[in-house]
mmCIF file of all heavy atoms in Angstrom:
data_model
loop_
_atom_site.group_PDB
_atom_site.id
_atom_site.type_symbol
_atom_site.label_atom_id
_atom_site.label_comp_id
_atom_site.label_asym_id
_atom_site.label_seq_id
_atom_site.Cartn_x
_atom_site.Cartn_y
_atom_site.Cartn_z
ATOM 1 N N MET A 30 -7.898 6.192 -24.652
ATOM 2 C CA MET A 30 -8.508 7.021 -23.631
ATOM 3 C C MET A 30 -7.438 7.388 -22.555
ATOM 4 O O MET A 30 -7.710 8.233 -21.715
ATOM 5 C CB MET A 30 -9.661 6.354 -22.977
ATOM 6 C CG MET A 30 -10.851 6.137 -23.951
ATOM 7 S SD MET A 30 -12.203 5.314 -23.179
ATOM 8 C CE MET A 30 -12.970 6.679 -22.288
ATOM 9 N N ASN A 31 -6.297 6.728 -22.568
ATOM 10 C CA ASN A 31 -5.159 7.001 -21.708
ATOM 11 C C ASN A 31 -5.624 6.917 -20.215
ATOM 12 O O ASN A 31 -5.337 7.832 -19.441
ATOM 13 C CB ASN A 31 -4.600 8.402 -21.980
ATOM 14 C CG ASN A 31 -3.208 8.555 -21.423
ATOM 15 O OD1 ASN A 31 -2.537 7.603 -21.205
ATOM 16 N ND2 ASN A 31 -2.784 9.808 -21.239
ATOM 17 N N ILE A 32 -6.327 5.812 -19.875
ATOM 18 C CA ILE A 32 -6.769 5.611 -18.534
ATOM 19 C C ILE A 32 -5.705 4.756 -17.785
ATOM 20 O O ILE A 32 -5.354 3.693 -18.322
ATOM 21 C CB ILE A 32 -8.158 4.944 -18.459
ATOM 22 C CG1 ILE A 32 -9.147 5.878 -19.140
ATOM 23 C CG2 ILE A 32 -8.462 4.588 -17.031
ATOM 24 C CD1 ILE A 32 -10.529 5.212 -19.237
ATOM 25 N N ARG A 33 -5.247 5.168 -16.592
ATOM 26 C CA ARG A 33 -4.308 4.364 -15.864
ATOM 27 C C ARG A 33 -5.085 3.664 -14.736
ATOM 28 O O ARG A 33 -5.915 4.265 -14.088
ATOM 29 C CB ARG A 33 -3.285 5.283 -15.208
ATOM 30 C CG ARG A 33 -2.398 5.942 -16.265
ATOM 31 C CD ARG A 33 -1.332 6.691 -15.667
ATOM 32 N NE ARG A 33 -0.531 5.832 -14.817
ATOM 33 C CZ ARG A 33 0.585 6.155 -14.202
ATOM 34 N NH1 ARG A 33 1.110 7.357 -14.417
ATOM 35 N NH2 ARG A 33 1.273 5.312 -13.503
ATOM 36 N N VAL A 34 -4.782 2.427 -14.550
ATOM 37 C CA VAL A 34 -5.381 1.569 -13.506
ATOM 38 C C VAL A 34 -4.420 1.424 -12.379
ATOM 39 O O VAL A 34 -3.279 1.143 -12.547
ATOM 40 C CB VAL A 34 -5.736 0.202 -14.084
ATOM 41 C CG1 VAL A 34 -6.388 -0.654 -13.014
ATOM 42 C CG2 VAL A 34 -6.702 0.331 -15.234
ATOM 43 N N THR A 35 -4.932 1.594 -11.145
ATOM 44 C CA THR A 35 -4.201 1.496 -9.962
ATOM 45 C C THR A 35 -4.918 0.660 -8.923
ATOM 46 O O THR A 35 -6.124 0.942 -8.710
ATOM 47 C CB THR A 35 -3.814 2.859 -9.287
ATOM 48 O OG1 THR A 35 -3.106 3.646 -10.253
ATOM 49 C CG2 THR A 35 -3.015 2.712 -8.115
ATOM 50 N N GLY A 36 -4.307 -0.317 -8.340
ATOM 51 C CA GLY A 36 -4.964 -1.207 -7.382
ATOM 52 C C GLY A 36 -4.869 -0.596 -5.925
ATOM 53 O O GLY A 36 -4.348 0.495 -5.737
ATOM 54 N N THR A 37 -5.378 -1.294 -5.080
ATOM 55 C CA THR A 37 -5.458 -0.892 -3.613
ATOM 56 C C THR A 37 -4.074 -0.577 -3.092
ATOM 57 O O THR A 37 -3.934 0.493 -2.462
ATOM 58 C CB THR A 37 -6.137 -1.981 -2.838
ATOM 59 O OG1 THR A 37 -7.410 -2.235 -3.350
ATOM 60 C CG2 THR A 37 -6.266 -1.545 -1.326
ATOM 61 N N ILE A 38 -3.191 -1.435 -3.345
ATOM 62 C CA ILE A 38 -1.796 -1.225 -2.850
ATOM 63 C C ILE A 38 -1.201 0.056 -3.410
ATOM 64 O O ILE A 38 -0.658 0.886 -2.621
ATOM 65 C CB ILE A 38 -0.947 -2.424 -3.236
ATOM 66 C CG1 ILE A 38 -1.473 -3.639 -2.501
ATOM 67 C CG2 ILE A 38 0.534 -2.133 -2.813
ATOM 68 C CD1 ILE A 38 -0.874 -4.995 -3.045
ATOM 69 N N GLY A 39 -1.338 0.275 -4.697
ATOM 70 C CA GLY A 39 -0.820 1.519 -5.277
ATOM 71 C C GLY A 39 -1.508 2.765 -4.823
ATOM 72 O O GLY A 39 -0.827 3.788 -4.653
ATOM 73 N N VAL A 40 -2.758 2.689 -4.506
ATOM 74 C CA VAL A 40 -3.470 3.858 -3.946
ATOM 75 C C VAL A 40 -2.915 4.199 -2.564
ATOM 76 O O VAL A 40 -2.747 5.372 -2.211
ATOM 77 C CB VAL A 40 -5.060 3.603 -3.872
ATOM 78 C CG1 VAL A 40 -5.695 4.720 -3.089
ATOM 79 C CG2 VAL A 40 -5.573 3.487 -5.314
ATOM 80 N N ILE A 41 -2.694 3.185 -1.782
ATOM 81 C CA ILE A 41 -2.233 3.445 -0.410
ATOM 82 C C ILE A 41 -0.751 4.012 -0.466
ATOM 83 O O ILE A 41 -0.454 4.971 0.263
ATOM 84 C CB ILE A 41 -2.217 2.117 0.442
ATOM 85 C CG1 ILE A 41 -3.723 1.831 0.758
ATOM 86 C CG2 ILE A 41 -1.409 2.315 1.757
ATOM 87 C CD1 ILE A 41 -3.871 0.417 1.384
ATOM 88 N N VAL A 42 0.105 3.427 -1.314
ATOM 89 C CA VAL A 42 1.461 3.978 -1.422
ATOM 90 C C VAL A 42 1.456 5.399 -1.882
ATOM 91 O O VAL A 42 2.153 6.282 -1.373
ATOM 92 C CB VAL A 42 2.321 3.039 -2.380
ATOM 93 C CG1 VAL A 42 3.614 3.762 -2.751
ATOM 94 C CG2 VAL A 42 2.510 1.748 -1.818
ATOM 95 N N LYS A 43 0.619 5.704 -2.941
ATOM 96 C CA LYS A 43 0.487 7.075 -3.377
ATOM 97 C C LYS A 43 0.010 8.061 -2.343
ATOM 98 O O LYS A 43 0.523 9.155 -2.234
ATOM 99 C CB LYS A 43 -0.337 7.128 -4.667
ATOM 100 C CG LYS A 43 -0.394 8.433 -5.327
ATOM 101 C CD LYS A 43 -1.079 8.509 -6.621
ATOM 102 C CE LYS A 43 -0.972 9.909 -7.182
ATOM 103 N NZ LYS A 43 -1.295 10.001 -8.562
ATOM 104 N N ALA A 44 -1.039 7.616 -1.573
ATOM 105 C CA ALA A 44 -1.540 8.424 -0.535
ATOM 106 C C ALA A 44 -0.526 8.773 0.467
ATOM 107 O O ALA A 44 -0.416 9.904 1.003
ATOM 108 C CB ALA A 44 -2.761 7.735 0.101
ATOM 109 N N LYS A 45 0.344 7.813 0.840
ATOM 110 C CA LYS A 45 1.390 8.028 1.810
ATOM 111 C C LYS A 45 2.465 8.985 1.240
ATOM 112 O O LYS A 45 2.887 9.882 1.909
ATOM 113 C CB LYS A 45 2.032 6.723 2.222
ATOM 114 C CG LYS A 45 3.292 6.855 3.062
ATOM 115 C CD LYS A 45 3.013 7.651 4.381
ATOM 116 C CE LYS A 45 4.342 7.692 5.202
ATOM 117 N NZ LYS A 45 4.424 8.819 6.027
ATOM 118 N N THR A 46 2.902 8.723 -0.030
ATOM 119 C CA THR A 46 3.958 9.586 -0.606
ATOM 120 C C THR A 46 3.430 10.982 -0.785
ATOM 121 O O THR A 46 4.310 11.944 -0.933
ATOM 122 C CB THR A 46 4.489 8.971 -1.890
ATOM 123 O OG1 THR A 46 3.448 8.891 -2.836
ATOM 124 C CG2 THR A 46 5.114 7.644 -1.677
ATOM 125 N N GLU A 47 2.187 11.207 -0.930
ATOM 126 C CA GLU A 47 1.586 12.558 -1.061
ATOM 127 C C GLU A 47 1.120 13.109 0.288
ATOM 128 O O GLU A 47 0.388 14.131 0.342
ATOM 129 C CB GLU A 47 0.426 12.572 -2.049
ATOM 130 C CG GLU A 47 0.926 12.235 -3.490
ATOM 131 C CD GLU A 47 -0.202 12.236 -4.524
ATOM 132 O OE1 GLU A 47 -1.399 12.403 -4.154
ATOM 133 O OE2 GLU A 47 0.079 12.084 -5.720
ATOM 134 N N ASN A 48 1.511 12.470 1.386
ATOM 135 C CA ASN A 48 1.143 12.908 2.730
ATOM 136 C C ASN A 48 -0.337 13.078 2.917
ATOM 137 O O ASN A 48 -0.859 13.878 3.754
ATOM 138 C CB ASN A 48 1.795 14.188 3.039
ATOM 139 C CG ASN A 48 3.349 14.078 3.161
ATOM 140 O OD1 ASN A 48 3.815 13.077 3.710
ATOM 141 N ND2 ASN A 48 4.046 14.956 2.462
ATOM 142 N N LYS A 49 -1.127 12.129 2.293
ATOM 143 C CA LYS A 49 -2.586 12.163 2.516
ATOM 144 C C LYS A 49 -2.955 11.284 3.687
ATOM 145 O O LYS A 49 -4.026 11.473 4.285
ATOM 146 C CB LYS A 49 -3.324 11.664 1.220
ATOM 147 C CG LYS A 49 -2.957 12.352 -0.040
ATOM 148 C CD LYS A 49 -3.712 13.618 -0.198
ATOM 149 C CE LYS A 49 -3.404 14.185 -1.555
ATOM 150 N NZ LYS A 49 -3.759 15.513 -1.783
ATOM 151 N N ILE A 50 -2.085 10.308 4.002
ATOM 152 C CA ILE A 50 -2.303 9.481 5.160
ATOM 153 C C ILE A 50 -1.038 9.453 5.997
ATOM 154 O O ILE A 50 0.083 9.606 5.437
ATOM 155 C CB ILE A 50 -2.704 8.017 4.762
ATOM 156 C CG1 ILE A 50 -1.645 7.397 3.857
ATOM 157 C CG2 ILE A 50 -4.048 8.013 4.090
ATOM 158 C CD1 ILE A 50 -1.928 5.913 3.586
ATOM 159 N N PRO A 51 -1.150 9.264 7.327
ATOM 160 C CA PRO A 51 0.059 9.261 8.094
ATOM 161 C C PRO A 51 0.926 8.008 7.948
ATOM 162 O O PRO A 51 2.188 8.080 8.232
ATOM 163 C CB PRO A 51 -0.444 9.409 9.541
ATOM 164 C CG PRO A 51 -1.832 8.909 9.485
ATOM 165 C CD PRO A 51 -2.313 9.149 8.084
ATOM 166 N N SER A 52 0.329 6.865 7.687
ATOM 167 C CA SER A 52 1.161 5.614 7.646
ATOM 168 C C SER A 52 0.577 4.619 6.722
ATOM 169 O O SER A 52 -0.594 4.185 6.861
ATOM 170 C CB SER A 52 1.191 5.051 9.058
ATOM 171 O OG SER A 52 1.727 3.737 9.004
ATOM 172 N N ALA A 53 1.336 4.223 5.700
ATOM 173 C CA ALA A 53 0.945 3.159 4.797
ATOM 174 C C ALA A 53 0.910 1.839 5.537
ATOM 175 O O ALA A 53 -0.047 1.040 5.393
ATOM 176 C CB ALA A 53 1.865 3.079 3.630
ATOM 177 N N LYS A 54 1.849 1.625 6.436
ATOM 178 C CA LYS A 54 1.902 0.356 7.168
ATOM 179 C C LYS A 54 0.665 0.162 7.946
ATOM 180 O O LYS A 54 0.122 -0.980 7.967
ATOM 181 C CB LYS A 54 3.124 0.346 8.031
ATOM 182 C CG LYS A 54 3.496 -0.975 8.682
ATOM 183 C CD LYS A 54 4.766 -0.980 9.395
ATOM 184 C CE LYS A 54 5.048 -2.316 10.019
ATOM 185 N NZ LYS A 54 6.362 -2.332 10.719
ATOM 186 N N ALA A 55 0.160 1.149 8.631
ATOM 187 C CA ALA A 55 -1.014 1.116 9.429
ATOM 188 C C ALA A 55 -2.223 0.786 8.540
ATOM 189 O O ALA A 55 -3.095 0.013 8.919
ATOM 190 C CB ALA A 55 -1.240 2.344 10.210
ATOM 191 N N ALA A 56 -2.269 1.389 7.359
ATOM 192 C CA ALA A 56 -3.381 1.119 6.406
ATOM 193 C C ALA A 56 -3.376 -0.355 6.004
ATOM 194 O O ALA A 56 -4.357 -0.955 5.946
ATOM 195 C CB ALA A 56 -3.284 2.092 5.204
ATOM 196 N N PHE A 57 -2.133 -0.836 5.630
ATOM 197 C CA PHE A 57 -2.041 -2.210 5.192
ATOM 198 C C PHE A 57 -2.454 -3.168 6.383
ATOM 199 O O PHE A 57 -3.104 -4.175 6.146
ATOM 200 C CB PHE A 57 -0.624 -2.577 4.778
ATOM 201 C CG PHE A 57 -0.304 -1.957 3.406
ATOM 202 C CD1 PHE A 57 0.817 -1.227 3.288
ATOM 203 C CD2 PHE A 57 -1.095 -2.205 2.350
ATOM 204 C CE1 PHE A 57 1.197 -0.664 2.012
ATOM 205 C CE2 PHE A 57 -0.795 -1.631 1.090
ATOM 206 C CZ PHE A 57 0.338 -0.867 0.918
ATOM 207 N N GLU A 58 -2.007 -2.844 7.605
ATOM 208 C CA GLU A 58 -2.327 -3.712 8.745
ATOM 209 C C GLU A 58 -3.837 -3.740 8.890
ATOM 210 O O GLU A 58 -4.445 -4.807 9.227
ATOM 211 C CB GLU A 58 -1.685 -3.145 10.061
ATOM 212 C CG GLU A 58 -0.200 -3.451 10.041
ATOM 213 C CD GLU A 58 0.531 -2.747 11.210
ATOM 214 O OE1 GLU A 58 -0.051 -1.965 11.949
ATOM 215 O OE2 GLU A 58 1.729 -3.034 11.385
ATOM 216 N N LYS A 59 -4.548 -2.625 8.677
ATOM 217 C CA LYS A 59 -5.965 -2.587 8.862
ATOM 218 C C LYS A 59 -6.687 -3.449 7.819
ATOM 219 O O LYS A 59 -7.596 -4.187 8.100
ATOM 220 C CB LYS A 59 -6.444 -1.123 8.781
ATOM 221 C CG LYS A 59 -7.825 -0.910 9.201
ATOM 222 C CD LYS A 59 -7.992 -1.094 10.632
ATOM 223 C CE LYS A 59 -9.418 -0.677 11.056
ATOM 224 N NZ LYS A 59 -9.683 -1.009 12.471
ATOM 225 N N ILE A 60 -6.286 -3.303 6.570
ATOM 226 C CA ILE A 60 -6.935 -4.124 5.480
ATOM 227 C C ILE A 60 -6.632 -5.593 5.556
ATOM 228 O O ILE A 60 -7.416 -6.403 5.152
ATOM 229 C CB ILE A 60 -6.739 -3.552 4.025
ATOM 230 C CG1 ILE A 60 -5.254 -3.632 3.642
ATOM 231 C CG2 ILE A 60 -7.199 -2.154 3.875
ATOM 232 C CD1 ILE A 60 -5.076 -3.363 2.172
ATOM 233 N N LEU A 61 -5.485 -5.933 6.196
ATOM 234 C CA LEU A 61 -5.124 -7.325 6.365
ATOM 235 C C LEU A 61 -5.989 -8.014 7.393
ATOM 236 O O LEU A 61 -6.048 -9.218 7.457
ATOM 237 C CB LEU A 61 -3.694 -7.506 6.775
ATOM 238 C CG LEU A 61 -2.705 -7.192 5.537
ATOM 239 C CD1 LEU A 61 -1.250 -7.203 6.026
ATOM 240 C CD2 LEU A 61 -2.905 -8.235 4.394
ATOM 241 N N GLU A 62 -6.719 -7.193 8.172
ATOM 242 C CA GLU A 62 -7.689 -7.761 9.137
ATOM 243 C C GLU A 62 -8.949 -8.283 8.426
ATOM 244 O O GLU A 62 -9.782 -8.930 9.007
ATOM 245 C CB GLU A 62 -8.100 -6.696 10.177
ATOM 246 C CG GLU A 62 -6.925 -6.340 11.105
ATOM 247 C CD GLU A 62 -7.321 -5.123 12.011
ATOM 248 O OE1 GLU A 62 -8.509 -4.664 12.018
ATOM 249 O OE2 GLU A 62 -6.425 -4.699 12.729
ATOM 250 N N THR A 63 -9.091 -7.943 7.146
ATOM 251 C CA THR A 63 -10.242 -8.424 6.358
ATOM 252 C C THR A 63 -9.758 -9.655 5.524
ATOM 253 O O THR A 63 -8.731 -10.223 5.882
ATOM 254 C CB THR A 63 -10.712 -7.305 5.384
ATOM 255 O OG1 THR A 63 -9.696 -7.067 4.365
ATOM 256 C CG2 THR A 63 -10.996 -6.010 6.125
ATOM 257 N N ASP A 64 -10.474 -10.005 4.516
ATOM 258 C CA ASP A 64 -10.042 -11.156 3.656
ATOM 259 C C ASP A 64 -9.164 -10.732 2.501
ATOM 260 O O ASP A 64 -8.887 -11.519 1.636
ATOM 261 C CB ASP A 64 -11.239 -11.871 3.154
ATOM 262 C CG ASP A 64 -12.142 -10.995 2.253
ATOM 263 O OD1 ASP A 64 -11.951 -9.849 2.193
ATOM 264 O OD2 ASP A 64 -13.083 -11.587 1.587
ATOM 265 N N PHE A 65 -8.581 -9.554 2.578
ATOM 266 C CA PHE A 65 -7.623 -9.088 1.570
ATOM 267 C C PHE A 65 -6.366 -9.872 1.605
ATOM 268 O O PHE A 65 -5.820 -10.116 2.690
ATOM 269 C CB PHE A 65 -7.352 -7.540 1.824
ATOM 270 C CG PHE A 65 -6.453 -6.831 0.754
ATOM 271 C CD1 PHE A 65 -7.086 -6.329 -0.364
ATOM 272 C CD2 PHE A 65 -5.105 -6.811 0.934
ATOM 273 C CE1 PHE A 65 -6.339 -5.696 -1.339
ATOM 274 C CE2 PHE A 65 -4.351 -6.155 -0.062
ATOM 275 C CZ PHE A 65 -4.948 -5.657 -1.186
ATOM 276 N N ARG A 66 -5.956 -10.321 0.487
ATOM 277 C CA ARG A 66 -4.690 -11.157 0.476
ATOM 278 C C ARG A 66 -3.620 -10.468 -0.316
ATOM 279 O O ARG A 66 -3.842 -9.895 -1.378
ATOM 280 C CB ARG A 66 -5.045 -12.505 -0.182
ATOM 281 C CG ARG A 66 -5.950 -13.343 0.696
ATOM 282 C CD ARG A 66 -6.153 -14.697 0.096
ATOM 283 N NE ARG A 66 -6.995 -14.511 -1.088
ATOM 284 C CZ ARG A 66 -7.272 -15.533 -1.959
ATOM 285 N NH1 ARG A 66 -6.777 -16.713 -1.719
ATOM 286 N NH2 ARG A 66 -8.019 -15.314 -2.961
ATOM 287 N N ILE A 67 -2.363 -10.510 0.247
ATOM 288 C CA ILE A 67 -1.196 -9.954 -0.348
ATOM 289 C C ILE A 67 0.010 -10.760 0.111
ATOM 290 O O ILE A 67 0.008 -11.131 1.279
ATOM 291 C CB ILE A 67 -1.090 -8.443 -0.092
ATOM 292 C CG1 ILE A 67 0.135 -7.793 -0.727
ATOM 293 C CG2 ILE A 67 -1.107 -8.161 1.476
ATOM 294 C CD1 ILE A 67 0.237 -6.378 -0.558
ATOM 295 N N SER A 68 0.920 -11.022 -0.749
ATOM 296 C CA SER A 68 2.107 -11.761 -0.319
ATOM 297 C C SER A 68 3.005 -10.899 0.643
ATOM 298 O O SER A 68 3.000 -9.655 0.557
ATOM 299 C CB SER A 68 2.914 -12.236 -1.559
ATOM 300 O OG SER A 68 3.641 -11.145 -2.116
ATOM 301 N N ASP A 69 3.755 -11.577 1.433
ATOM 302 C CA ASP A 69 4.681 -10.845 2.358
ATOM 303 C C ASP A 69 5.643 -10.008 1.567
ATOM 304 O O ASP A 69 6.047 -8.887 1.944
ATOM 305 C CB ASP A 69 5.396 -11.876 3.309
ATOM 306 C CG ASP A 69 4.447 -12.487 4.277
ATOM 307 O OD1 ASP A 69 3.393 -11.890 4.611
ATOM 308 O OD2 ASP A 69 4.854 -13.533 4.838
ATOM 309 N N ARG A 70 6.189 -10.575 0.439
ATOM 310 C CA ARG A 70 7.174 -9.883 -0.383
ATOM 311 C C ARG A 70 6.599 -8.580 -0.930
ATOM 312 O O ARG A 70 7.205 -7.530 -0.905
ATOM 313 C CB ARG A 70 7.595 -10.831 -1.475
ATOM 314 C CG ARG A 70 8.700 -10.105 -2.396
ATOM 315 C CD ARG A 70 9.116 -11.052 -3.527
ATOM 316 N NE ARG A 70 8.014 -11.300 -4.488
ATOM 317 C CZ ARG A 70 7.603 -10.475 -5.442
ATOM 318 N NH1 ARG A 70 8.223 -9.353 -5.638
ATOM 319 N NH2 ARG A 70 6.597 -10.844 -6.210
ATOM 320 N N ILE A 71 5.386 -8.670 -1.503
ATOM 321 C CA ILE A 71 4.740 -7.469 -2.108
ATOM 322 C C ILE A 71 4.460 -6.431 -1.003
ATOM 323 O O ILE A 71 4.616 -5.231 -1.203
ATOM 324 C CB ILE A 71 3.418 -7.863 -2.832
ATOM 325 C CG1 ILE A 71 3.738 -8.812 -4.029
ATOM 326 C CG2 ILE A 71 2.694 -6.645 -3.298
ATOM 327 C CD1 ILE A 71 4.568 -8.188 -5.152
ATOM 328 N N LEU A 72 3.973 -6.917 0.136
ATOM 329 C CA LEU A 72 3.650 -5.966 1.258
ATOM 330 C C LEU A 72 4.927 -5.247 1.691
ATOM 331 O O LEU A 72 4.893 -4.038 1.918
ATOM 332 C CB LEU A 72 3.029 -6.789 2.388
ATOM 333 C CG LEU A 72 2.693 -5.945 3.637
ATOM 334 C CD1 LEU A 72 1.703 -4.887 3.355
ATOM 335 C CD2 LEU A 72 2.126 -6.880 4.720
ATOM 336 N N LYS A 73 6.014 -6.012 1.902
ATOM 337 C CA LYS A 73 7.251 -5.357 2.280
ATOM 338 C C LYS A 73 7.702 -4.335 1.245
ATOM 339 O O LYS A 73 8.083 -3.226 1.635
ATOM 340 C CB LYS A 73 8.337 -6.496 2.476
ATOM 341 C CG LYS A 73 9.655 -5.930 2.985
ATOM 342 C CD LYS A 73 10.656 -7.130 3.169
ATOM 343 C CE LYS A 73 11.975 -6.543 3.630
ATOM 344 N NZ LYS A 73 12.945 -7.648 3.851
ATOM 345 N N GLU A 74 7.627 -4.653 0.004
ATOM 346 C CA GLU A 74 8.052 -3.741 -1.014
ATOM 347 C C GLU A 74 7.177 -2.537 -1.094
ATOM 348 O O GLU A 74 7.717 -1.360 -1.222
ATOM 349 C CB GLU A 74 7.969 -4.495 -2.368
ATOM 350 C CG GLU A 74 8.510 -3.667 -3.570
ATOM 351 C CD GLU A 74 8.522 -4.378 -4.862
ATOM 352 O OE1 GLU A 74 8.698 -5.614 -4.862
ATOM 353 O OE2 GLU A 74 8.472 -3.706 -5.896
ATOM 354 N N ALA A 75 5.886 -2.650 -0.974
ATOM 355 C CA ALA A 75 4.966 -1.488 -0.935
ATOM 356 C C ALA A 75 5.250 -0.590 0.253
ATOM 357 O O ALA A 75 5.272 0.644 0.078
ATOM 358 C CB ALA A 75 3.495 -2.015 -0.830
ATOM 359 N N ILE A 76 5.512 -1.151 1.444
ATOM 360 C CA ILE A 76 5.865 -0.367 2.624
ATOM 361 C C ILE A 76 7.151 0.480 2.367
ATOM 362 O O ILE A 76 7.190 1.670 2.685
ATOM 363 C CB ILE A 76 5.916 -1.200 3.839
ATOM 364 C CG1 ILE A 76 4.531 -1.746 4.243
ATOM 365 C CG2 ILE A 76 6.494 -0.458 5.056
ATOM 366 C CD1 ILE A 76 4.517 -2.820 5.307
ATOM 367 N N GLN A 77 8.137 -0.166 1.744
ATOM 368 C CA GLN A 77 9.367 0.473 1.433
ATOM 369 C C GLN A 77 9.118 1.638 0.370
ATOM 370 O O GLN A 77 9.759 2.652 0.505
ATOM 371 C CB GLN A 77 10.388 -0.495 0.965
ATOM 372 C CG GLN A 77 10.931 -1.374 2.045
ATOM 373 C CD GLN A 77 11.892 -2.443 1.587
ATOM 374 O OE1 GLN A 77 11.846 -2.911 0.448
ATOM 375 N NE2 GLN A 77 12.704 -2.898 2.530
ATOM 376 N N LEU A 78 8.304 1.356 -0.625
ATOM 377 C CA LEU A 78 8.050 2.359 -1.667
ATOM 378 C C LEU A 78 7.340 3.554 -1.015
ATOM 379 O O LEU A 78 7.452 4.657 -1.519
ATOM 380 C CB LEU A 78 7.162 1.738 -2.781
ATOM 381 C CG LEU A 78 7.792 0.877 -3.755
ATOM 382 C CD1 LEU A 78 6.779 0.215 -4.673
ATOM 383 C CD2 LEU A 78 8.788 1.676 -4.570
ATOM 384 N N ALA A 79 6.550 3.319 0.092
ATOM 385 C CA ALA A 79 5.856 4.399 0.699
ATOM 386 C C ALA A 79 6.850 5.209 1.643
ATOM 387 O O ALA A 79 6.439 6.193 2.254
ATOM 388 C CB ALA A 79 4.746 3.825 1.517
ATOM 389 N N GLY A 80 8.065 4.745 1.707
ATOM 390 C CA GLY A 80 9.107 5.422 2.555
ATOM 391 C C GLY A 80 9.069 5.067 3.978
ATOM 392 O O GLY A 80 9.595 5.837 4.808
ATOM 393 N N GLU A 81 8.557 3.842 4.281
ATOM 394 C CA GLU A 81 8.549 3.438 5.646
ATOM 395 C C GLU A 81 9.355 2.163 5.816
ATOM 396 O O GLU A 81 9.799 1.509 4.847
ATOM 397 C CB GLU A 81 7.084 3.155 6.042
ATOM 398 C CG GLU A 81 6.230 4.384 5.997
ATOM 399 C CD GLU A 81 4.771 4.108 6.372
ATOM 400 O OE1 GLU A 81 4.501 3.029 7.033
ATOM 401 O OE2 GLU A 81 3.934 4.863 6.031
ATOM 402 N N GLN A 82 9.624 1.796 7.045
ATOM 403 C CA GLN A 82 10.320 0.506 7.340
ATOM 404 C C GLN A 82 9.349 -0.536 7.549
ATOM 405 O O GLN A 82 8.339 -0.398 8.271
ATOM 406 C CB GLN A 82 11.229 0.708 8.606
ATOM 407 C CG GLN A 82 12.289 1.715 8.521
ATOM 408 C CD GLN A 82 13.311 1.363 7.465
ATOM 409 O OE1 GLN A 82 13.702 0.219 7.400
ATOM 410 N NE2 GLN A 82 13.749 2.259 6.658
ATOM 411 N N PRO A 83 9.556 -1.744 6.927
ATOM 412 C CA PRO A 83 8.617 -2.839 7.113
ATOM 413 C C PRO A 83 8.659 -3.383 8.524
ATOM 414 O O PRO A 83 9.514 -3.211 9.318
ATOM 415 C CB PRO A 83 9.146 -3.888 6.078
ATOM 416 C CG PRO A 83 10.436 -3.399 5.626
ATOM 417 C CD PRO A 83 10.619 -2.028 6.045
#
């Protein structure tokens, strides 16, 4: 069926790289206020992939 799966982090990074959201870092900060868990290393890498400074 050629279905691609993308998680929350990937969706945020893609939204930022396509200029759909102003800041991936701000989006990550907001979801981290919930019980969403992500390692510091992955978070830093995702922010960099989105073209922002960690």
Side-chain angles (χ1 to χ4, degrees):
M30 294 179 80
N31 200 23
I32 297 173
R33 295 184 58 172
V34 177
T35 302
T37 303
I38 297 165
V40 170
I41 292 172
V42 169
K43 185 171 182 166
K45 172 59 178 154
T46 60
E47 293 182 357
N48 295 315
K49 306 278 186 195
I50 60 173
S52 172
K54 189 174 182 179
F57 287 127
E58 288 172 353
K59 192 71 173 171
I60 65 171
L61 287 173
E62 293 174 5
T63 69
D64 62 350
F65 187 86
R66 293 184 289 172
I67 180 175
S68 75
D69 290 338
R70 182 183 62 82
I71 298 292
L72 179 59
K73 183 178 178 181
E74 186 176 331
I76 292 169
Q77 288 175 335
L78 284 172
E81 299 179 17
Q82 296 296 319

